Amino acid sequence: MHANLFLSMEYNFSEIEKKWQKAWEENGVYTVSNESDKPHYYVLDMFPYPSGAGLHVGHPLGYIASDIYSRYKRLKGFNVLHPMGFDSYGLPAEQYAIQTGQHPEKTTFENIDRYISQLKKIGFCYDWNREVRTCDPKFYKWTQWAFVQMFNSYFDPKTQKAQPISKLIAEFEANDPKWATLSEREKQERLMNYRIAYLADTKVNWCPKLGTVLANDEVSEGLSVRGGYPVEQRVMRQWCLRVSAYAGRLLEGLERIDWTESLKETQRNWIGRSEGAEMQFAVKGQDAPFTIFTTRADTVFGVTFMVLAPESEYVQRVVTPEQKAEVDAYLARCKNRTERERIADRKVTGVFTGSYAINPLTQGEIPIYISDYVLAGYGTGAIMAVPAHDSRDYAFAKHFNLPIIPLIEGADVSEESFDAKEGKMINSGFLNGMEVKDAIQAMKEYITNTGIGRVKVNYRLRDAIFSRQRYWGEPFPVYYKDGMPYTLPEESLPLELPEVSAFLPTETGEPPLGNAAIWAWDEKNKKVVDKSLIDNKTIFPLELCTMPGFAGSSAYYLRYMDPHNDQALVDKNVNAYWRQVDLYLGGSEHATGHLIYSRFWNKFLYDLGYICEDEPFKKLINQGMIQGRSNFVYRYIGEGATGNLYISYNLIENPEYKDKVQPIHVNVNIVNNDVLDINAFRAWMPEFKNAEFVFADGTSSELTGYTAGAKQYICGWAVEKMSKSMFNVVNPDDVIAKFGADTLRLYEMFLGPLEMSKPWDTNGIDGVHRFLKRLWNMYENITDEEPTKEELRSLHKLIKKITWDIENFSFNTSIPAFMIAQNELSALKCSKRAILEPIAVLLAPYAPHIAEEMWHRCQAIGKKVSSENFIDLQASLDEVRSFVVNAEWPECNEAYLVEDTQKYPVQFNGKVRFTLECPKDTPKEEVEKLVLAHEDTSKYLAGNTPKKIIVVPGRIVNIVM
RNA sequence: GCGGCAUUGGCGGAAUUGGUAGACGCGCCAGACUUAGGAUCUGGUUCCGAAAGGAGUGAAAGUUCGAGUCUUUUAUGCCGCACCA
């Protein structure tokens, strides 16, 4: 007996899905070529970190949307690149390794395998030949390569471009006589100030007990979140990337990309451009002035004190011997606080340095203070304080009893500062009478002309710290000679992650790579050798830090274009074909991290001429989060409670139970339509084994001796994050087993608009599953009859709708459109190939498996294959060697949509009273006459004469009385 | 504090250029079939009202013949940023 496809009309989704997934794979249907006459289109999903928990039903949302779009583009005749890979370096695997001793690679690969099998079941059109993993040496070779390029480059402010560092060296040699006199080390130190990847001393949260650096959100109130150990601020030499150099271009580039306004705004805020002025303030009794940055140059006449950041290099210069002890005490206090704590604590603190600055305009002497409300990392780390017009300065002035001089007419500064940039200037010398806006401009000109300062643009964006004291990341291709870093030659890449005896920091506090025995660089033989051989002559120590998570994800989209190329990150011609990602889909949580870093990385590679586009992601869409929908049972905790009795949700407001129940999360997988599966609940956990219930009807299981049956226990519910601890995680594998991948795909889209966050509620899934079944039934006896006008109208309405929906990423509205078409056509008892075949193509992006099956049924009819022949699966495949995947998207013929008549809703004073049907293209005047002649019109006019009759052709009639 | 997004039946949501608010689905109600069912099919389902009719898209105001949609104010929720000079 052959595998019987077409005789049984039951919708056997698991057979259908398995069959076509296999057929697609065997025929390489999703393999994408870099050479094609077709127009190119690149659809990318943000690649996942393969966590140990596997995919839940929220993860594939964006993947399904991008898959629909990819399949649509393909049907429209594009060569579509749609790859998938794994962001596979990261902390969870390392943490797990520390706990269990298992190598992170092992667990990572296991997790990836699980992800792949889960993803494959959903039927995505990924070209798996192009899969990348960031932890694969073949991949991270190019991460390391990019780092070396950054090390060997500097940012030229004149051209606003990265340039080879050799150019800078040549410039030094030509123009700076001192250069030649410098030692090799001194030269290297000087170059370090320019390199795009550079070493710098940075402040980090150091936890001595854990022997590691912690991120800000891993620290709470001076203690590590994990373990609760003390955390101190420590200066460490770390690799940094000069992202800030690109601030201007990163900001400007936003104008040219099609991202949501909210995302662009987030990036603008993050980059934080502010236009202001740098000004010199002389210090009384000293030669050297110091420089401050201000956006309110117009307020110089109101400066009553100066403030330095505690870390400012000016501090030691201006502190007087009398004040030294007090200043040192204050600095010590600041040092032990994390940046976050300083921000969180809004108490005014500060200390007087003992010195005075001279106001360059009034020549008045003003005291210089130190306070941690001024940040070292922004501007120059020093400010002029104008308490009348800045709330932070105001608070400080009040606290230390410093004068407050109002500079704007009518501004009341007795209670708070006047921060708005509006009004007329007073107390401001030559600025008096000007509007603030003009005063800022006038002052900028003044300071430029007099040379006491200059106009300056400042950015908030900081350089990225690029070192991590971790094991599971890309090693830096760097070794140290005389304390200075040198990069490995390009041909020696990748520098592979070594084996270590332990994944923890060493006893001396070195990063985990300090545990590697074979971790030294033999410069002569260009290979990694045993650490014991280090002689600092030809064999040198290698860098012990690894790169952070964003390293591997910053250019992966380029690698997909040419994933097996071992000569280049991406071949120039290949890059010139695909150019950039046309559509990028992912979560908004990456708005400031990944999406800034990869734009930076891309611009850098663009500057060096390796790639042809300045921006990586042309269009970007954020999919919303899928939230969980939790269920609760209510344990009775009132008088006489046994801790064993659960009250049905509909009763908990009754006086006897009100405030006497405790909600407990219950596994959503043993709840159906909010009705608890009693037996499953009793079996779920030992503590519920003897659970008794008060059911929805008020009867109690104790009394009835109930075990399972018709009585219902109703659960409460709430929308919460989808997480294990809430017992509301739904696994796509389970959904697929029960309903099939096509139903899952459809339902995910049906839930709501792509960009919105929305709760997952498995309850509604029956609806779309039923729809697929009904549609499926229409493909039983397909005929070649001529379709009727009505059938064609249904079809073309659908074509128009689905096309519009996909072009506008409105996937949720497509499912109802399919349902409506199915309803209409099944009412017409339509079984015609001319209708059903295009519908299969329309459905293919959304539900590819069932669509493929439907399409082949139609094809078989068309080819007049005898029924004996196409009963056999393989025979039918051999016979019809094409797939719906490669079909052609149907065109909407507007002619079919034209109706003969026009229905006009007729409003009286804006309220619809009846509808009038008249022939299409009835002239306005005629419609008006028809309405007035209508039998009901006089009733609604109620004796009034119409003041005005509005007829919008093809739309509506409104009679104003 | 700043910025962004949202708010429509019992629930998810639809309404694409301002033109019949509540499509479609879930749930619920009634019926049919089947003697259990969480199967299938048919009809109903915004609210108030027996009906006629009235009210209605978080709230208030405005523009308009006409507002869920545009404008202003405001409330609530979610997300992001935050002593940025």
Side-chain angles (χ1 to χ4, degrees):
Chain A
M1 188 72 188
H2 294 294
N4 186 326
L5 282 174
F6 296 140
L7 291 185
S8 160
M9 269 317 289
E10 200 170 321
Y11 172 39
N12 190 339
F13 51 83
S14 63
E15 284 302 313
I16 291 170
E17 289 173 8
K18 253 187 256 158
K19 167 180 148 190
W20 290 114
Q21 282 172 15
K22 186 162 167 265
W24 293 330
E25 193 161 335
E26 283 172 357
N27 289 277
V29 168
Y30 299 125
T31 306
V32 180
S33 168
N34 288 339
E35 278 163 39
S36 170
D37 302 331
K38 291 180 187 173
H40 60 92
Y41 202 89
Y42 185 178
V43 181
L44 182 63
D45 296 303
M46 286 186 188
F47 66 168
Y49 175 81
S51 79
L55 289 174
H56 69 59
V57 106
H59 294 117
L61 181 79
Y63 305 155
I64 294 170
S66 63
D67 199 63
I68 291 170
Y69 200 77
S70 304
R71 287 173 179 274
Y72 166 74
K73 275 291 186 187
R74 189 167 169 165
L75 291 166
K76 289 286 266 186
F78 286 80
N79 186 28
V80 179
L81 178 55
H82 187 215
M84 179 49 85
F86 300 94
D87 184 15
S88 47
Y89 271 135
L91 267 185
E94 179 161 330
Q95 219 63 261
Y96 191 74
I98 291 167
Q99 281 163 25
T100 64
Q102 284 204 61
H103 198 284
E105 185 176 86
K106 183 170 177 283
T107 50
T108 299
F109 280 18
E110 283 166 6
N111 292 346
I112 289 177
D113 287 347
R114 175 148 179 227
Y115 264 62
I116 290 178
S117 87
Q118 285 187 299
L119 290 169
K120 283 194 169 169
K121 274 193 219 162
I122 305 174
F124 294 121
C125 63
Y126 296 128
D127 179 357
W128 283 106
N129 298 318
R130 292 177 185 252
E131 183 208 324
V132 300
R133 305 177 178 193
T134 54
C135 67
D136 179 352
K138 290 199 199 81
F139 180 89
Y140 68 67
K141 171 178 177 174
W142 300 105
T143 311
Q144 294 176 336
W145 169 84
F147 172 83
V148 172
Q149 305 304 309
M150 290 182 194
F151 181 80
N152 289 325
S153 301
Y154 75 107
F155 191 82
D156 178 7
K158 271 192 236 96
T159 55
Q160 283 287 302
K161 270 178 72 172
Q163 304 273 353
I165 197 97
S166 53
K167 246 183 109 173
L168 186 68
I169 296 171
E171 211 170 288
F172 286 153
E173 281 169 350
N175 304 324
D176 187 351
K178 242 178 84 187
W179 178 258
T181 68
L182 298 178
S183 70
E184 169 66 11
R185 197 196 150 93
E186 286 166 331
K187 282 180 182 169
Q188 288 302 323
E189 269 171 2
R190 181 155 172 200
L191 290 175
M192 199 54 94
N193 297 323
Y194 296 89
R195 297 183 189 277
I196 287 178
Y198 64 98
L199 273 175
D201 290 328
T202 57
K203 234 172 125 176
V204 295
N205 303 312
W206 174 255
C207 180
K209 193 84 183 185
L210 294 171
T212 184
V213 172
L214 299 172
N216 275 336
D217 53 310
E218 291 177 297
V219 184
S220 166
E221 295 173 19
L223 299 174
S224 64
V225 172
R226 216 159 23 87
Y229 306 115
V231 175
E232 60 189 49
Q233 296 300 296
R234 187 165 170 180
V235 172
M236 277 179 77
R237 207 157 168 75
Q238 309 227 59
W239 286 104
C240 298
L241 301 184
R242 212 174 290 279
V243 180
S244 62
Y246 280 85
R249 277 172 64 191
L250 288 168
L251 186 68
E252 178 272 329
L254 292 172
E255 305 301 318
R256 289 177 282 114
I257 49 183
D258 182 11
W259 293 14
T260 59
E261 201 41 50
S262 78
L263 188 53
K264 287 200 215 178
E265 199 53 35
T266 305
Q267 291 221 340
R268 281 188 202 110
N269 290 339
W270 191 259
I271 295 165
R273 181 182 198 273
S274 57
E275 223 176 88
E278 275 187 0
M279 287 174 70
Q280 314 266 315
F281 276 68
V283 181
K284 190 188 169 194
Q286 288 192 20
D287 291 341
F290 65 90
T291 308
I292 60 99
F293 175 73
T294 180
T295 52
R296 291 296 302 273
D298 57 308
T299 59
V300 179
F301 289 95
V303 177
T304 55
F305 58 102
M306 311 293 289
V307 187
L308 303 177
E311 298 85 357
S312 169
E313 56 188 48
Y314 296 129
V315 167
Q316 293 310 322
R317 270 178 38 200
V318 298
V319 60
T320 58
E322 305 81 62
Q323 290 298 105
K324 183 137 178 57
E326 207 182 321
V327 167
D328 285 349
Y330 183 73
L331 295 184
R333 218 183 102 202
C334 291
K335 208 180 156 184
N336 283 327
R337 304 174 83 199
T338 64
E339 190 169 334
R340 186 160 285 199
E341 284 173 308
R342 272 168 64 172
I343 290 165
D345 186 2
R346 284 175 182 269
K347 263 206 314 262
V348 176
T349 64
V351 62
F352 180 46
T353 61
S355 290
Y356 291 84
I358 311 289
N359 186 322
L361 274 108
T362 64
Q363 305 305 319
E365 289 180 14
I366 44 184
I368 304 173
Y369 280 79
I370 299 167
S371 176
D372 63 4
Y373 81 88
V374 174
L375 304 179
Y378 187 76
T380 60
I383 62 154
M384 59 177 216
V386 186
H389 302 288
D390 182 290
S391 50
R392 294 151 302 170
D393 296 347
Y394 187 87
F396 194 87
K398 280 278 177 191
H399 188 263
F400 286 94
N401 253 323
L402 295 158
I404 298 167
I405 307 171
L407 300 173
I408 291 170
E409 202 174 79
D412 175 15
V413 296
S414 59
E415 292 296 327
E416 55 181 2
S417 62
F418 181 83
D419 291 13
K421 293 185 189 179
E422 56 194 33
K424 268 204 173 67
M425 305 297 296
I426 53 167
N427 297 332
S428 296
F430 70 94
L431 298 175
N432 282 341
M434 286 189 197
E435 281 294 317
V436 168
K437 244 190 181 161
D438 304 324
I440 293 176
Q441 198 47 45
M443 198 61 193
K444 277 182 182 170
E445 281 165 28
Y446 179 85
I447 58 174
T448 311
N449 294 339
T450 55
I452 57 173
R454 62 188 181 114
V455 174
K456 176 86 196 284
V457 173
N458 236 319
Y459 295 96
R460 192 180 80 100
L461 186 70
R462 292 187 219 175
D463 288 345
I465 298 179
F466 203 59
S467 295
R468 297 290 183 271
Q469 288 69 31
R470 308 280 182 194
Y471 174 71
W472 192 230
E474 299 87 350
F476 283 90
V478 165
Y479 61 97
Y480 289 89
K481 204 178 350 184
D482 190 18
M484 293 308 289
Y486 291 82
T487 54
L488 265 58
E490 214 173 298
E491 66 269 22
S492 299
L493 301 180
L495 172 64
E496 294 202 27
L497 190 63
E499 290 301 320
V500 289
S501 51
F503 303 112
L504 285 165
T506 66
E507 277 174 17
T508 54
E510 284 180 331
L513 288 189
N515 293 317
I518 304 175
W519 199 241
W521 184 248
D522 182 338
E523 199 177 52
K524 222 187 227 160
N525 300 308
K526 295 187 178 173
K527 61 177 202 180
V528 180
V529 295
D530 199 285
K531 232 162 45 175
S532 62
L533 300 173
I534 292 174
D535 57 8
N536 288 314
K537 290 192 185 80
T538 60
I539 297 175
F540 301 96
L542 279 160
E543 167 72 54
L544 298 180
C545 286
T546 54
M547 297 185 192
F550 68 84
S553 58
S554 288
Y556 76 110
Y557 53 90
L558 293 168
R559 191 62 184 159
Y560 281 135
M561 294 176 182
D562 200 8
H564 307 296
N565 190 337
D566 57 6
Q567 297 303 308
L569 167 64
V570 51
D571 179 84
K572 272 199 175 179
N573 291 324
V574 172
N575 178 251
Y577 175 68
W578 293 112
R579 305 200 70 83
Q580 68 188 140
V581 176
D582 293 288
L583 174 66
Y584 196 23
L585 237 131
S588 55
E589 67 273 20
H590 297 110
T592 48
H594 165 60
L595 288 174
I596 289 258
Y597 295 131
S598 49
R599 288 183 64 218
F600 153 76
W601 204 284
N602 189 86
K603 283 177 190 298
F604 170 75
L605 294 175
Y606 172 76
D607 285 353
L608 267 53
Y610 291 114
I611 55 172
C612 63
E613 289 283 350
D614 177 51
E615 284 288 342
F617 315 119
K618 197 171 176 179
K619 183 178 177 67
L620 186 138
I621 293 179
N622 289 128
Q623 88 267 18
M625 280 239 299
I626 296 270
Q627 296 153 308
R629 186 181 187 276
S630 310
N631 276 116
F632 300 93
V633 293
Y634 298 87
R635 175 185 275 153
Y636 180 66
I637 52 168
E639 210 172 310
T642 56
N644 212 17
L645 181 66
Y646 299 87
I647 315 299
S648 183
Y649 172 66
N650 58 311
L651 304 174
I652 61 170
E653 288 299 313
N654 288 4
E656 46 187 322
Y657 302 123
K658 196 168 161 65
D659 301 325
K660 291 174 193 157
V661 292
Q662 167 196 22
I664 296 170
H665 277 97
V666 58
N667 185 349
V668 293
N669 296 297
I670 59 169
V671 176
N672 197 296
N673 288 335
D674 294 334
V675 176
L676 183 68
D677 180 334
I678 299 293
N679 287 337
F681 179 68
R682 285 175 172 161
W684 181 38
M685 281 195 214
E687 62 169 306
F688 303 128
K689 198 176 152 201
N690 300 311
E692 297 292 346
F693 304 90
V694 175
F695 297 111
D697 61 1
T699 60
S700 147
S701 58
E702 242 174 330
L703 299 172
T704 57
Y706 169 95
T707 49
K711 288 195 179 291
Q712 293 194 330
Y713 181 94
I714 299 172
C715 297
W717 61 275
V719 172
E720 298 175 301
K721 214 184 132 193
M722 195 176 278
S723 88
K724 252 185 180 168
S725 62
M726 314 267 193
F727 300 109
N728 59 8
V729 176
V730 180
N731 185 321
D733 298 358
D734 297 342
V735 177
I736 289 171
K738 207 165 163 193
F739 299 101
D742 287 332
T743 297
L744 173 73
R745 292 171 60 111
L746 240 47
Y747 188 57
E748 294 245 3
M749 293 298 102
F750 186 64
L751 278 177
L754 181 59
E755 299 94 329
M756 301 278 147
S757 68
K758 58 242 163 192
W760 176 272
D761 181 359
T762 309
N763 289 335
I765 201 167
D766 298 318
V768 292
H769 189 65
R770 272 199 284 265
F771 152 70
L772 279 182
K773 266 199 236 175
R774 288 190 203 120
L775 183 65
W776 171 252
N777 288 336
M778 295 178 67
Y779 286 72
E780 184 168 6
N781 296 303
I782 306 162
T783 69
D784 258 332
E785 278 174 79
E786 280 300 308
T788 66
K789 215 173 151 186
E790 263 180 304
E791 290 167 338
L792 285 166
R793 180 179 299 145
S794 268
L795 170 66
H796 285 263
K797 215 168 68 184
L798 184 66
I799 296 172
K800 189 175 181 181
K801 173 74 179 147
I802 302 302
T803 308
W804 193 92
D805 280 352
I806 298 182
E807 302 259 354
N808 292 280
F809 303 97
S810 173
F811 305 113
N812 55 318
T813 51
S814 292
I815 320 302
F818 280 119
M819 289 171 170
I820 290 165
Q822 187 274 324
N823 278 333
E824 286 172 356
L825 291 168
S826 96
L828 295 168
K829 302 215 177 342
C830 175
S831 59
K832 293 162 188 166
R833 184 189 165 202
I835 302 295
L836 296 178
E837 192 176 299
I839 288 180
V841 180
L842 293 175
L843 187 65
Y846 294 84
H849 311 86
I850 193 173
E852 192 75 80
E853 183 76 18
M854 288 168 170
W855 194 73
H856 280 264
R857 283 171 167 275
C858 294
Q859 292 287 298
I861 294 291
K863 289 191 183 289
K864 304 272 183 248
V865 180
S866 74
S867 63
E868 284 79 30
N869 274 346
F870 64 79
I871 284 171
D872 185 292
L873 159 64
Q874 199 50 52
S876 79
L877 266 179
D878 291 343
E879 185 69 29
V880 189
R881 281 214 77 86
S882 60
F883 294 88
V884 73
V885 178
N886 298 321
E888 213 173 294
W889 191 254
E891 285 288 325
C892 170
N893 184 345
E894 293 279 346
Y896 293 123
L897 303 182
V898 177
E899 307 257 359
D900 303 332
T901 60
Q902 179 71 52
K903 276 190 187 131
Y904 281 100
V906 181
Q907 298 181 331
F908 291 78
N909 280 348
K911 287 193 199 318
V912 179
R913 296 304 184 178
F914 58 84
T915 53
L916 176 86
E917 190 160 356
C918 57
K920 185 99 192 147
D921 300 325
T922 308
K924 237 173 137 170
E925 300 71 26
E926 195 64 28
V927 173
E928 196 174 317
K929 267 186 218 157
L930 283 168
V931 167
L932 289 174
H934 194 274
E935 49 181 333
D936 290 344
T937 298
S938 60
K939 183 170 119 196
Y940 292 110
L941 279 175
N944 297 308
T945 36
K947 277 193 199 126
K948 200 172 169 187
I949 301 175
I950 290 142
V951 178
V952 185
R955 287 276 184 201
I956 205 164
V957 178
N958 192 7
I959 297 172
V960 188
M961 299 184 286

